[in-house]
């Protein structure tokens, strides 16, 4: 099983940037697609961004397209978040999918990190 640990969250003003990291350990995660999801208080967990196993295919939620960028290397997956808005405030989770192709479906993801809080002030 792959263990995931997120970091990089924090408090930032609207318009600012943050870079989230998700470090993987345990079984190799290089063969799996990876994703970022977020959950705001009182709301369901929602898809943010995903990347395939090789890093050459990506998918983004409409609400973050053009502002967020997902990337990966052999040890971690990253989420660069620019032009942050108060509505981006949430706990952000990374996860591995049991497949190689990029996927936006929550049900395809089986290993989750503990989450990192992102708060954007207006």
């Amino acid at each position: 099983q792959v263990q995931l640990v997120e970091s990089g969250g924090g408090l930032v003003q609207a318009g600012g940037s943050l870079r989230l990291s998700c470090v993987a350990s345990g079984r190799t995660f290089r063969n799996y697609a990876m994703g970022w999801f977020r959950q705001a208080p009182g709301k369901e967990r929602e898809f943010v961004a995903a990347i395939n196993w090789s890093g050459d295919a990506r998918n983004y939620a409409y609400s973050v397209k053009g502002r967020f960028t997902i990337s990966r290397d052999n040890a971690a997956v990253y989420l660069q978040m620019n032009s942050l808005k108060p509505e981006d405030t949430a706990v952000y989770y990374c996860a591995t999918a049991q497949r190689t192709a990029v996927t936006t479906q929550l049900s395809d993801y089986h290993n989750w990190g503990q989450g990192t809080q992102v708060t954007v002030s207006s």
Side-chain angles (χ1 to χ4, degrees):
Q1 184 155 346
V2 178
Q3 289 79 44
L4 304 172
V5 178
E6 301 98 334
S7 63
L11 174 64
V12 64
Q13 288 188 333
S17 298
L18 285 174
R19 186 177 190 243
L20 305 184
S21 298
C22 174
V23 176
S25 61
R27 287 182 59 189
T28 179
F29 81 120
R30 285 178 289 178
N31 294 333
Y32 301 125
M34 299 287 295
W36 285 96
F37 290 76
R38 66 187 181 187
Q39 188 165 17
K43 295 188 177 182
E44 294 186 351
R45 192 168 297 190
E46 65 174 6
F47 168 76
V48 175
I51 191 167
N52 71 339
W53 74 279
S54 60
D56 59 1
R58 298 170 176 85
N59 201 332
Y60 297 94
Y62 179 80
S63 60
V64 307
K65 193 171 292 186
R67 300 188 297 122
F68 291 11
T69 302
I70 188 172
S71 61
R72 68 186 298 169
D73 58 27
N74 286 339
V77 63
Y78 309 95
L79 188 68
Q80 177 67 42
M81 305 187 296
N82 299 328
S83 303
L84 282 161
K85 304 175 181 180
E87 51 264 43
D88 294 319
T89 295
V91 177
Y92 283 71
Y93 300 88
C94 69
T96 58
Q98 296 283 343
R99 52 187 290 170
T100 58
V102 68
T103 175
T104 66
Q105 299 302 308
L106 185 69
S107 58
D108 286 334
Y109 291 86
H110 299 271
N111 291 323
W112 294 86
Q114 83 291 348
T116 185
Q117 176 70 47
V118 171
T119 303
V120 184
S121 63
S122 57

